[in-house]
Every structure is written in structure tokens, then in C-alpha cells.
Amino acid sequence: MLTDFIPLFIMIGLALGLAFSLLKLAEILGPHRPNPIKRMPYESGMDPVGTAHERYTVKFYLVAMIFIVFDVEIVFLYPWAVSYRDFLEAGAGLGVLAVVVFFLIILAIGLLYDIKKGGLEFD
């Protein structure tokens, strides 16, 4: 049974070997001319202002979590939308539609809660 995976393990080993060897080769053969300007942090072509250890507000994380939730929603809805015709032909269309509507209602309640708490308002 494990012998079925030997080609996969060989492919993974070759890919990792190639990746590491190319990185090491670039490090060895590439130019190395450090200077103070190259060692400075780069922020969109401007000189860095302030410290890198500033704290972010909680709203930043709320917006990031909302993005992740709705991104995952699309990941779940796209395959469902593609195969919904097959569900209809199998006679399970209403049951699958009810599950997806329930999923969307839960997401809508979460979005309304976030709007009510002011998670999407920016000062």
C-alpha cells in the first residue's frame, strides 16, 4: 500500500531538493555588496517613520476576520454553485438549498452583529 506513494515521495523530494539547491546557489553566486541604504527598512519608497512596534487597533483585526470569514464563504459556495444542477437532477435540490440558505443566514447575522457593534466604521 505504501509502495503506491513512492512516485509522490520522489516528486516531493525532487521539488524540495531543487528549491533548496537553487536558493543556496543564488546565495553563493549572487552579488553581496551591503551598504547602509540597503540595510534600511523599506516602506513603499519612503523613509520609515516611527517604530515598527506600534500597536494596531482592534478594528483592524475585526475587519481582517470579516474578510477571512467571507473569503471562506466563497470557498464553500463556489463548489456548491457549480454542482447545484447535479443536486437538482438527483432530487436533492431543496435540501441542499436549505442548508446553503441556513449557512448564509448565519453569516448575515454575524455581519449584522458586526455592523451593530461598529466594526466596519472607521474614524
Side-chain angles (χ1 to χ4, degrees), residues 28-41:
I28 293 169
L29 298 177
H32 185 71
R33 295 182 293 265
N35 62 37
I37 294 175
K38 286 184 180 180
R39 292 182 183 199
M40 281 182 50

Side-chain angles (χ1 to χ4, degrees), residues 46-60:
M46 301 177 68
D47 290 332
V49 177
T51 178
H53 300 288
E54 293 178 10
R55 296 186 67 165
Y56 291 107
T57 63
V58 175
K59 288 189 180 192
F60 172 79

